[in-house]
Amino acid sequence: MTFDDMFTHTFNLFISLPRRKHRGNLSIILSNDKTKAAYLSGRDELRVLDLKDFSSKTIVTDEFWALSNDDPQFSPDDKFILYTAMRNFEKDIFVYDLTEGKAFQITKTGVTESSPVWSPDGKYIYFQTDRLKASYPRGTSNDDIYRIALQLTDKEFKSDRYEKLFVNEKDAKKDTVKPKVVIDYTNLKDRWEPVAKLTGNQNSPYVYQKGDETRLFFVSNHEGENNFYQMILKPFDKPETKKFEGAKGGGYVICKLKDNYFLETGGKIYKLDFSASKLTPVETEFKFNRNLASEFKQMFYETWANLDENYYDEKFHGVNWEKMRDYYSSFLPFVNNRANLRILLSDLLGELNSSHIGFTSNGEEEKVFYKSVTFETGIIFDNDNPFTVKYVVKNSPAYKKGNAIQPGDELVAFNGAEIDKSVSRDKYFTSTSMPEEITLTFQRANNKFDVKIHPESNGELKSNLYDEWIDWNQKYVDEKSKDRIAYAYMKNMGEGELDNFIIDMTTDEHYKDGLILDLRYNTSGNVHDDVLNFLSRRPYLKWKYREGKFTVQPNFAPAAKPIVLLINEQSLSDAEMTSAGFKQLGLGKIIGTDSYRWIIFTSGKSLVDGSFYRLPSWGCYTLDGQDLEHTGVKPDIYVKTSFKDRLENKDPQLDRAIEEILKQLK
């Protein structure tokens, strides 16, 4: 079968699969003898298709999810199908015995085992896992490649190898038999064996065998970036790891055609040479006519269908999702450009009234040649006198000039050109590109002087202003509590902010008597579990050196001290997960206003032209089943900060937090 024939055959198979209402088919794999195909259907079915009469039947009903799946794999003798299913948000490995009509669990760990493949001789299952860390909620970064022996076996004996040297070559070929897979299900967990255990992340195993030599192909970043590697395994020899030359990448597909192997990655095809550890590019060219009207139509229905199958709420927030499809599809004949498509799909998705949802699309035809950027210096000018300096923002480019620029200085020239006070000041700080440096001329009393500045973006200025507000809060808490209360602020729930939080909590703030954790305006992320685990630590014993001072264990035990959590109407997403967990664990009081109600964990998919839509697929619920997307988190003590408070630099929420902790410290 040629490559074109195989592609055509597989594609025809896929489009001919029985399609039941609201159920997509994916991950189709052919058996080795090309008589059957296995595929996943919807969120919960593994099905087998008979290629003779195209009849299809469900062999396993389980939790597969309709995204981020591992492809099922036929065993070398086509007697078993290898697959993964979800348990508590983690993948376990299973096999389905086609003869017995039963499924058997291979791994059962509470962490994820994924990308399982058979060894060609049918003796092992290879897969990737991080044995020490669950995949959810933050994923893993230290996966290794393991294998499980399907039967209890001993290492090869050197004496047997010696005897093989004297076997006639023709007789040796006669002894070659097709692999037969036999699985001993007892004590499988005792037969795990690490194979590729390196620094960083090893993933996506593929196994090639020739004679008594096994070559494990995998992706690894142990040398700093993702590359293709193989580990050569021979009896009596130490494993040898080699990097493939000729291409870099992450995800890949390997296809065997007769005795040749081809690899596709990053949209390119390479011939794969295991013996030379080399990937050679295969030049391809294919021309086709592109019909944007048909393409946009397909993108519309594909987006709708994936939301239909993967949206976290089976009731779709009370929306008739089929009715919405029919209504919005009636506008498809009038979509004649990408902007129309964006509006149409954004309006469709908006009907769900949901967070973490959206559609983005950009095309070459929309690129513009001329554009402008606004740049900043960190100088805040007076509202009534737009060219007079009010103050300089901390850590901004102007701040780095020391006291060169002071309040009351007047801007009189920009890059040597005199300022025209009749025009908007923004004219001088807008250009077609970000300049590397500018020269500002100021007048102070009767003196004029120049200051050279490396400008920053508007986003960087906002970040510096944000940091000023946090610094103000820190000083305010220190002064009002007489340095007894620690103040920690997290802008988001990303790993960088988690690191900053831990650093704060393990330096000076560690020695204080109480803690205010401020999650107001927090813009989401995925580190709630780490934050709550840290805050939950309590003392469990003491130790000391002879005649020294007692020290508690663990070293850091925030839960032994009063804690207050601050939230407001702009605390959203993972900040709401953290707040809900804080309340459930009884770690302290929550002060402020109700959170934003914007919490769903999300994935997404790309379309044919690179357009992208988000898939809010995992709802977040309290232990009594309340959907945080609907309820949010209510504070224990409701305190609102008004617009007037902000104008007057007052923070009643922070004041109440300090008051509550000081009460407990009396």
Side-chain angles (χ1 to χ4, degrees), residues 103-118:
F104 298 89
Q105 191 161 2
I106 301 296
T107 65
K108 189 178 182 181
T109 63
V111 298
T112 282
E113 296 85 37
S114 61
S115 304
V117 293
W118 303 93

PDB file of all heavy atoms in Angstrom, residues 103-118:
ATOM      1  N   ALA A 103     -12.212  -5.722  29.734  1.00  0.00           N
ATOM      2  CA  ALA A 103     -11.164  -4.714  29.920  1.00  0.00           C
ATOM      3  C   ALA A 103     -10.423  -5.006  31.216  1.00  0.00           C
ATOM      4  O   ALA A 103     -11.030  -5.427  32.211  1.00  0.00           O
ATOM      5  CB  ALA A 103     -11.764  -3.312  29.954  1.00  0.00           C
ATOM      6  N   PHE A 104      -9.110  -4.786  31.217  1.00  0.00           N
ATOM      7  CA  PHE A 104      -8.270  -5.010  32.390  1.00  0.00           C
ATOM      8  C   PHE A 104      -7.425  -3.767  32.639  1.00  0.00           C
ATOM      9  O   PHE A 104      -6.915  -3.149  31.698  1.00  0.00           O
ATOM     10  CB  PHE A 104      -7.354  -6.211  32.185  1.00  0.00           C
ATOM     11  CG  PHE A 104      -8.082  -7.507  31.974  1.00  0.00           C
ATOM     12  CD1 PHE A 104      -8.446  -7.915  30.696  1.00  0.00           C
ATOM     13  CD2 PHE A 104      -8.423  -8.313  33.051  1.00  0.00           C
ATOM     14  CE1 PHE A 104      -9.120  -9.114  30.491  1.00  0.00           C
ATOM     15  CE2 PHE A 104      -9.097  -9.509  32.861  1.00  0.00           C
ATOM     16  CZ  PHE A 104      -9.451  -9.916  31.577  1.00  0.00           C
ATOM     17  N   GLN A 105      -7.285  -3.418  33.908  1.00  0.00           N
ATOM     18  CA  GLN A 105      -6.523  -2.225  34.266  1.00  0.00           C
ATOM     19  C   GLN A 105      -5.053  -2.596  34.443  1.00  0.00           C
ATOM     20  O   GLN A 105      -4.703  -3.502  35.181  1.00  0.00           O
ATOM     21  CB  GLN A 105      -7.080  -1.600  35.552  1.00  0.00           C
ATOM     22  CG  GLN A 105      -6.523  -0.229  35.847  1.00  0.00           C
ATOM     23  CD  GLN A 105      -7.394   0.554  36.816  1.00  0.00           C
ATOM     24  OE1 GLN A 105      -8.405   0.059  37.306  1.00  0.00           O
ATOM     25  NE2 GLN A 105      -7.019   1.801  37.076  1.00  0.00           N
ATOM     26  N   ILE A 106      -4.177  -1.828  33.764  1.00  0.00           N
ATOM     27  CA  ILE A 106      -2.734  -2.085  33.818  1.00  0.00           C
ATOM     28  C   ILE A 106      -2.064  -1.238  34.889  1.00  0.00           C
ATOM     29  O   ILE A 106      -1.197  -1.701  35.615  1.00  0.00           O
ATOM     30  CB  ILE A 106      -2.082  -1.823  32.446  1.00  0.00           C
ATOM     31  CG1 ILE A 106      -2.709  -2.729  31.377  1.00  0.00           C
ATOM     32  CG2 ILE A 106      -0.576  -2.026  32.499  1.00  0.00           C
ATOM     33  CD1 ILE A 106      -2.491  -4.208  31.597  1.00  0.00           C
ATOM     34  N   THR A 107      -2.447   0.034  34.984  1.00  0.00           N
ATOM     35  CA  THR A 107      -1.878   0.904  36.024  1.00  0.00           C
ATOM     36  C   THR A 107      -3.009   1.459  36.882  1.00  0.00           C
ATOM     37  O   THR A 107      -4.125   1.675  36.406  1.00  0.00           O
ATOM     38  CB  THR A 107      -1.073   2.072  35.422  1.00  0.00           C
ATOM     39  OG1 THR A 107      -1.950   2.931  34.683  1.00  0.00           O
ATOM     40  CG2 THR A 107       0.028   1.559  34.504  1.00  0.00           C
ATOM     41  N   LYS A 108      -2.691   1.729  38.137  1.00  0.00           N
ATOM     42  CA  LYS A 108      -3.679   2.264  39.080  1.00  0.00           C
ATOM     43  C   LYS A 108      -2.916   3.014  40.154  1.00  0.00           C
ATOM     44  O   LYS A 108      -2.632   2.483  41.218  1.00  0.00           O
ATOM     45  CB  LYS A 108      -4.505   1.126  39.686  1.00  0.00           C
ATOM     46  CG  LYS A 108      -5.693   1.586  40.513  1.00  0.00           C
ATOM     47  CD  LYS A 108      -6.478   0.389  41.016  1.00  0.00           C
ATOM     48  CE  LYS A 108      -7.697   0.821  41.812  1.00  0.00           C
ATOM     49  NZ  LYS A 108      -8.459  -0.344  42.329  1.00  0.00           N
ATOM     50  N   THR A 109      -2.586   4.280  39.867  1.00  0.00           N
ATOM     51  CA  THR A 109      -1.631   4.973  40.724  1.00  0.00           C
ATOM     52  C   THR A 109      -2.111   6.281  41.335  1.00  0.00           C
ATOM     53  O   THR A 109      -1.562   6.716  42.341  1.00  0.00           O
ATOM     54  CB  THR A 109      -0.358   5.310  39.926  1.00  0.00           C
ATOM     55  OG1 THR A 109      -0.707   6.211  38.866  1.00  0.00           O
ATOM     56  CG2 THR A 109       0.272   4.056  39.361  1.00  0.00           C
ATOM     57  N   GLY A 110      -3.063   6.967  40.730  1.00  0.00           N
ATOM     58  CA  GLY A 110      -3.428   8.306  41.203  1.00  0.00           C
ATOM     59  C   GLY A 110      -2.625   9.408  40.545  1.00  0.00           C
ATOM     60  O   GLY A 110      -2.884  10.588  40.776  1.00  0.00           O
ATOM     61  N   VAL A 111      -1.609   9.038  39.737  1.00  0.00           N
ATOM     62  CA  VAL A 111      -0.924  10.007  38.882  1.00  0.00           C
ATOM     63  C   VAL A 111      -1.135   9.554  37.443  1.00  0.00           C
ATOM     64  O   VAL A 111      -1.672   8.475  37.199  1.00  0.00           O
ATOM     65  CB  VAL A 111       0.585  10.117  39.201  1.00  0.00           C
ATOM     66  CG1 VAL A 111       0.798  10.611  40.619  1.00  0.00           C
ATOM     67  CG2 VAL A 111       1.304   8.789  38.980  1.00  0.00           C
ATOM     68  N   THR A 112      -0.718  10.364  36.482  1.00  0.00           N
ATOM     69  CA  THR A 112      -1.011  10.067  35.080  1.00  0.00           C
ATOM     70  C   THR A 112       0.046   9.181  34.441  1.00  0.00           C
ATOM     71  O   THR A 112       1.242   9.450  34.554  1.00  0.00           O
ATOM     72  CB  THR A 112      -1.154  11.373  34.283  1.00  0.00           C
ATOM     73  OG1 THR A 112      -2.453  11.935  34.544  1.00  0.00           O
ATOM     74  CG2 THR A 112      -1.041  11.140  32.788  1.00  0.00           C
ATOM     75  N   GLU A 113      -0.417   8.126  33.777  1.00  0.00           N
ATOM     76  CA  GLU A 113       0.416   7.358  32.851  1.00  0.00           C
ATOM     77  C   GLU A 113      -0.193   7.550  31.467  1.00  0.00           C
ATOM     78  O   GLU A 113      -1.376   7.280  31.273  1.00  0.00           O
ATOM     79  CB  GLU A 113       0.444   5.867  33.200  1.00  0.00           C
ATOM     80  CG  GLU A 113       1.082   5.552  34.541  1.00  0.00           C
ATOM     81  CD  GLU A 113       0.118   5.666  35.699  1.00  0.00           C
ATOM     82  OE1 GLU A 113      -1.056   5.295  35.538  1.00  0.00           O
ATOM     83  OE2 GLU A 113       0.545   6.169  36.773  1.00  0.00           O
ATOM     84  N   SER A 114       0.602   8.020  30.525  1.00  0.00           N
ATOM     85  CA  SER A 114       0.039   8.372  29.219  1.00  0.00           C
ATOM     86  C   SER A 114       0.939   7.905  28.083  1.00  0.00           C
ATOM     87  O   SER A 114       2.047   7.415  28.307  1.00  0.00           O
ATOM     88  CB  SER A 114      -0.180   9.886  29.131  1.00  0.00           C
ATOM     89  OG  SER A 114       1.046  10.575  29.272  1.00  0.00           O
ATOM     90  N   SER A 115       0.434   8.091  26.850  1.00  0.00           N
ATOM     91  CA  SER A 115       1.136   7.724  25.615  1.00  0.00           C
ATOM     92  C   SER A 115       1.620   6.281  25.621  1.00  0.00           C
ATOM     93  O   SER A 115       2.769   5.992  25.267  1.00  0.00           O
ATOM     94  CB  SER A 115       2.330   8.664  25.380  1.00  0.00           C
ATOM     95  OG  SER A 115       1.942  10.001  25.357  1.00  0.00           O
ATOM     96  N   PRO A 116       0.774   5.315  26.017  1.00  0.00           N
ATOM     97  CA  PRO A 116       1.242   3.926  26.061  1.00  0.00           C
ATOM     98  C   PRO A 116       1.388   3.334  24.661  1.00  0.00           C
ATOM     99  O   PRO A 116       0.589   3.603  23.764  1.00  0.00           O
ATOM    100  CB  PRO A 116       0.144   3.214  26.842  1.00  0.00           C
ATOM    101  CG  PRO A 116      -1.100   4.002  26.540  1.00  0.00           C
ATOM    102  CD  PRO A 116      -0.643   5.427  26.413  1.00  0.00           C
ATOM    103  N   VAL A 117       2.431   2.506  24.476  1.00  0.00           N
ATOM    104  CA  VAL A 117       2.657   1.794  23.209  1.00  0.00           C
ATOM    105  C   VAL A 117       3.156   0.387  23.519  1.00  0.00           C
ATOM    106  O   VAL A 117       3.791   0.145  24.551  1.00  0.00           O
ATOM    107  CB  VAL A 117       3.680   2.515  22.303  1.00  0.00           C
ATOM    108  CG1 VAL A 117       3.134   3.846  21.808  1.00  0.00           C
ATOM    109  CG2 VAL A 117       5.015   2.713  23.015  1.00  0.00           C
ATOM    110  N   TRP A 118       2.854  -0.532  22.602  1.00  0.00           N
ATOM    111  CA  TRP A 118       3.359  -1.901  22.719  1.00  0.00           C
ATOM    112  C   TRP A 118       4.787  -1.966  22.194  1.00  0.00           C
ATOM    113  O   TRP A 118       5.149  -1.255  21.263  1.00  0.00           O
ATOM    114  CB  TRP A 118       2.519  -2.864  21.887  1.00  0.00           C
ATOM    115  CG  TRP A 118       1.060  -2.907  22.195  1.00  0.00           C
ATOM    116  CD1 TRP A 118       0.069  -2.182  21.598  1.00  0.00           C
ATOM    117  CD2 TRP A 118       0.410  -3.749  23.155  1.00  0.00           C
ATOM    118  NE1 TRP A 118      -1.147  -2.506  22.115  1.00  0.00           N
ATOM    119  CE2 TRP A 118      -0.976  -3.480  23.075  1.00  0.00           C
ATOM    120  CE3 TRP A 118       0.857  -4.706  24.057  1.00  0.00           C
ATOM    121  CZ2 TRP A 118      -1.909  -4.124  23.872  1.00  0.00           C
ATOM    122  CZ3 TRP A 118      -0.067  -5.358  24.853  1.00  0.00           C
ATOM    123  CH2 TRP A 118      -1.437  -5.068  24.762  1.00  0.00           C
TER     124      TRP A 118
END
